[in-house]
Amino acid sequence: MSSDPWGRVDETGTVYVRTADGEQVVGSWQAGSPEEALAYFERKYEGLVVEIGLLEKRVKTTDLSAKDAQAAIDHIREQVDAHHVVGDLDALRVRLDKLVELVEARREERKAQRAKQSDEARKSKEALVAEAEELSQSDQWRAAGERLRALVDTWKGLPRLDRKSDDELWHRFSHARSAFSKRRKQHFAQLDAQREEARRIKERLVSEAEALSNSTDWGATAARYRELMAEWKAAGRAQREHEDDLWNRFRGAQDVFFAARSSVFAERDAEQAENLKLKEELAEEAEKLLPVTDLKAARAAFRNVNERWEAIGHVPRDARPKVEGRMHAVERAIQEAEEAEWRRTNPEARARAAGLTGQLQAAVDKLRGQIEQARAQGNNAKADKLQRELDGRQALLDQALKGLQEFGG
């Protein structure tokens, strides 16, 4: 019979292993010596030790699932419980029990990690939904559309939640995208309609602009072109493929008209500049008639100058007031001289002026007498009132005397 600390072989070749519960039969050995039998079953034990060690390493260092780890533990435990090896089986059971605890701890850790990841994923998806719902009301079509596509890619990279929660959030997310797409489609449909209407309006404006391009009714046509331009701006933009062509035609028609007008106006401006020079010379000639010393001669000379003035055409508008003002000043001076001469030589007017002066002088003298009398009587209030009336009459008298002087007396 042969034995070691963990097993023995009896006379019949039966191999035993020692455990805390007593000896257990390992098997029968007939092929060699008892020492060889013990060595064989000890090697099988070492194989279990190695297998447990490898499993411990996998559990600690890899992402081996708890289910697979437990299956591997159960498989080894079946071999340990079968007692087909010789060695410290109780130590193996302790290691397997600890390994079970480790697997369970890892299971709980992963469960907590999954719960945390799920919570983070829920918050992330809720944030994506909130942003998508806000973007669904945006009018920034390109930027919002690009952002929504980016949100979809972000969503796909997040873990799934429980089916109910994930479906509810996805429904809201999808609804927000659909709402935005619907609004964008409606916007561009409306925009297309507006651009088509703008194209029709601008076609009409172009036709009219081209029809007016050869007009020589400069003022009315230029005003109409300004109105057409205002209508063009109010019409909005047509489709891109039409807008530039329509604008080039519209602008080209205006250019033809305004180029022709500029040419005509340039000729007119040159003519008016020459007219201005002639009228300035006549104004200078008229101004030499002042001051008037011989009314008859001045009147005849001015009439001659004015006839030549009227024969000259238009001058530039901005220069007209000044040059015409010079002629009007001479004309007014001659008229004033005529009026003065008339007043001086009109006997009826002189008689009327003398009569009025005499009446006013009598009234003034009378008032002065009344004022002296009132003051002598101590009636200052009446005297002051009469004095105010006297001041007014005196002013009229002074004016009448000045007029009488104009008649030479």
Side-chain angles (χ1 to χ4, degrees):
M1 183 178 74
S2 179
S3 68
D4 71 8
W6 297 109
R8 67 184 180 85
V9 181
D10 65 9
E11 298 82 355
T12 63
T14 300
V15 181
Y16 296 91
V17 62
R18 297 185 179 90
T19 70
D21 297 329
E23 288 185 333
Q24 304 290 338
V25 175
V26 174
S28 178
W29 181 266
Q30 303 295 332
S33 67
E35 288 77 12
E36 290 175 334
L38 287 174
Y40 171 75
F41 286 108
E42 285 173 352
R43 285 195 300 273
K44 290 185 68 177
Y45 174 84
E46 291 300 326
L48 286 179
V49 171
V50 170
E51 191 171 350
I52 291 174
L54 291 173
L55 182 57
E56 287 173 336
K57 185 175 182 180
R58 288 183 64 195
V59 169
K60 292 177 181 179
T61 61
T62 71
D63 58 354
L64 181 66
S65 69
K67 180 179 179 181
D68 290 343
Q70 190 60 52
I73 291 171
D74 292 343
H75 175 70
I76 296 174
R77 193 182 294 276
E78 287 175 1
Q79 296 180 63
V80 172
D81 291 343
H83 309 113
H84 294 318
V85 298
V86 172
D88 190 353
L89 295 178
D90 292 323
L92 295 184
R93 291 190 179 94
V94 170
R95 289 180 67 180
L96 290 174
D97 289 343
K98 289 182 177 179
L99 195 53
V100 169
E101 292 176 0
L102 178 60
V103 169
E104 187 61 29
R106 291 293 299 275
R107 187 203 305 272
E108 292 299 321
E109 180 181 334
R110 289 177 180 175
K111 183 178 179 181
Q113 186 177 9
R114 284 195 300 271
K116 181 181 179 181
Q117 291 175 343
S118 178
D119 185 59
E120 291 175 350
R122 178 189 299 277
K123 290 179 180 177
S124 297
K125 288 188 173 182
E126 287 174 347
L128 293 178
V129 169
E131 184 176 354
E133 289 175 339
E134 182 177 353
L135 288 171
S136 70
Q137 301 303 314
S138 173
D139 293 334
Q140 301 297 317
W141 306 114
R142 174 176 295 182
E146 291 177 352
R147 180 57 183 160
L148 282 170
R149 285 191 290 274
L151 294 184
V152 172
D153 293 338
T154 303
W155 181 287
K156 291 178 180 178
L158 294 172
R160 285 186 59 84
L161 310 176
D162 61 273
R163 169 170 285 188
K164 180 180 178 182
S165 299
D166 210 75
D167 288 349
E168 287 177 354
L169 288 171
W170 174 254
H171 176 74
R172 287 175 58 192
F173 186 68
S174 179
H175 178 73
R177 293 171 62 214
S178 298
F180 174 78
S181 297
K182 182 178 179 180
R183 289 180 59 249
R184 180 172 59 181
K185 183 177 180 180
Q186 291 173 342
H187 167 77
F188 284 106
Q190 183 179 8
L191 192 60
D192 287 342
Q194 291 172 348
R195 287 177 174 171
E196 176 60 20
E197 178 63 17
R199 185 191 65 79
R200 288 195 293 269
I201 292 172
K202 290 185 174 181
E203 287 279 7
R204 174 180 58 79
L205 296 177
V206 167
S207 296
E208 184 174 351
E210 289 174 339
L212 290 171
S213 64
N214 294 318
S215 171
T216 55
D217 187 359
W218 310 119
T221 304
R224 182 54 186 156
Y225 270 124
R226 286 192 293 270
E227 292 173 354
L228 292 180
M229 179 62 78
E231 292 179 37
W232 180 282
K233 292 178 179 178
R237 290 186 62 82
Q239 299 90 336
R240 181 177 297 177
E241 62 270 22
H242 299 302
E243 181 70 20
D244 289 345
D245 179 61
L246 287 169
W247 171 251
N248 290 335
R249 289 174 58 195
F250 183 70
R251 194 65 187 174
Q254 292 187 83
D255 289 345
V256 169
F257 168 78
F258 284 108
R261 188 183 73 157
S262 295
S263 177
V264 171
F265 280 15
E267 294 178 6
R268 187 191 67 182
D269 290 345
E271 180 183 345
Q272 290 188 354
E274 181 61 26
N275 291 343
L276 175 61
K277 181 179 178 182
L278 295 175
K279 285 193 173 184
E280 287 175 338
E281 291 174 355
L282 289 178
E284 185 176 353
E285 183 179 341
E287 288 168 346
K288 291 179 180 178
L289 299 174
L290 303 181
V292 177
T293 54
D294 183 342
L295 180 59
K296 184 177 180 179
R299 186 186 301 117
F302 182 78
R303 185 181 304 112
N304 177 266
V305 170
N306 197 53
E307 287 174 355
R308 285 181 284 155
W309 176 283
E310 294 296 337
I312 299 173
H314 294 292
V315 301
R317 180 176 298 178
D318 57 348
R320 187 185 306 165
K322 182 177 180 180
V323 71
E324 289 183 350
R326 293 171 65 186
M327 282 291 288
H328 290 157
V330 174
E331 186 177 17
R332 282 196 303 273
I334 293 174
Q335 289 173 348
E336 290 172 359
E338 289 176 339
E339 291 173 1
E341 177 66 16
W342 178 83
R343 285 195 301 271
R344 189 178 67 78
T345 59
N346 188 328
E348 292 180 1
R350 187 180 188 288
R352 285 195 297 272
L356 176 60
T357 302
Q359 292 173 6
L360 289 172
Q361 185 65 60
V364 166
D365 293 342
K366 183 180 178 180
L367 284 169
R368 284 176 176 164
Q370 290 174 344
I371 291 171
E372 291 177 2
Q373 184 179 359
R375 293 203 185 281
Q377 294 173 352
N379 192 345
N380 290 329
K382 181 179 180 180
D384 291 342
K385 179 179 179 182
L386 291 171
Q387 182 64 50
R388 287 192 294 272
E389 186 176 350
L390 172 62
D391 293 341
R393 292 297 179 90
Q394 184 66 53
L396 292 174
L397 176 59
D398 293 342
Q399 186 175 353
L401 287 170
K402 181 179 179 182
L404 186 58
Q405 289 175 358
E406 293 179 358
F407 289 103

